[in-house]
Amino acid sequence: MQVAVTSNKKHFLTIGSWSQKEIKHVLAKAHELKAMQKSGIIQQDLKGKILGMIFEKSSTRTRVSFEAGMLQLGGDAIHLKSDDLQLGRGESIEDTAKVLSQYVDVLMIRTYGHEIIERFAASADIPVINGLTDEHHPTQVMADLLTIEEYKGDLSNVKVAYIGDGNNMAHSFIEAAAKVGMELAIATPPGYEPNKTIMQEVLQEAKQTGATITITNDPTQAVVDADVIVTDVWASMGQEEQQQERLQTFAAFQVNETLCSFAKSDYIFMHCLPAHREEEVTTSIIDGPHSVVFEEAQNRLHIQKAILHYVLNYK
């Protein structure tokens, strides 16, 4: 179910909902904020602003990066588990959104179905940011774009190979590629391809930006001449009962030395973490010289700050 989001606030629910100009603006701001922090300068221009964070799914990087980022920008953050809210006792999403809009200035939600966050945004009078849903993970992929720019420069000259499940990460990478003109090759086992509707929605924009997006069931084909190799866990939160089945299904999609040998010699390896070593990626790769996973994790902080800065100053 698609919910019409009519608020005049600048939400960040998917990468596809932002223009190329907005994405580039936020990436540039993240680079600026990171450079300032490394120089010992903290831009505290969100003083008096409060970030509310609702977690229906647990998190390490999302919670700490948003909370620390808001504090560094001079604001404050409130962590709310769904069990702590009246949502857990049957209050509607719409009523909760209207009430919280009177207490905080921006709301970040990490939840399950994407329609949940759309309903929040449709009823909220404040910006709503998607910290993760089952269908999209835009803040993570924005951090990934930031990392790729740092190591590889112009995104339109980069080939990214995404290996594994056609999940929320794959969906956000597809939307990102279409926006920035990137070459993206996604390799999944048969039956685990990305959502066809999302693919159809971005194909026209991909033509306009020069992006190339291919879906294959052959991981080697996807990795050939890649500048960046990305993977994710094979069983995401809520799929634990499928773990053993997926271990067998995805075995040929492990990112290892053999697979990576088909990429460019200076490729970088990325993973949104947490990683299941020796499942989707071998220890030799994630701890190897091509891995940038911890710089990628650090960039969650800088991109969250840039996103917060943008949605709270949007006119």
Side-chain angles (χ1 to χ4, degrees), residues 27 31 34 140-153 155 228 268-270 292-300 303:
L27 287 171
H31 285 296
K34 184 174 183 178
Q140 175 65 58
V141 171
M142 285 292 287
D144 291 356
L145 295 181
L146 179 65
T147 308
I148 295 168
E149 280 191 334
E150 287 180 331
Y151 283 89
K152 297 297 178 182
L155 294 170
V228 183
I268 58 172
F269 171 74
M270 299 172 61
V292 297
V293 297
F294 296 111
E295 187 79 11
E296 176 188 5
Q298 180 195 142
N299 281 340
R300 291 294 302 276
I303 203 70

Side-chain angles (χ1 to χ4, degrees), residues 181-234:
M182 192 165 63
E183 182 177 357
L184 174 67
I186 294 178
T188 75
Y192 292 87
E193 294 87 357
N195 182 280
K196 290 181 181 179
T197 301
I198 292 174
M199 280 295 299
Q200 291 171 352
E201 288 174 351
V202 303
L203 285 179
Q204 191 59 42
E205 187 164 24
K207 291 178 182 178
Q208 296 171 0
T209 62
T212 303
I213 304 172
T214 58
I215 310 296
T216 179
N217 301 126
D218 182 352
T220 299
Q221 179 185 337
V223 166
V224 169
D225 292 331
D227 299 285
V228 183
I229 300 174
V230 186
T231 193
D232 191 8
V233 294
W234 291 339

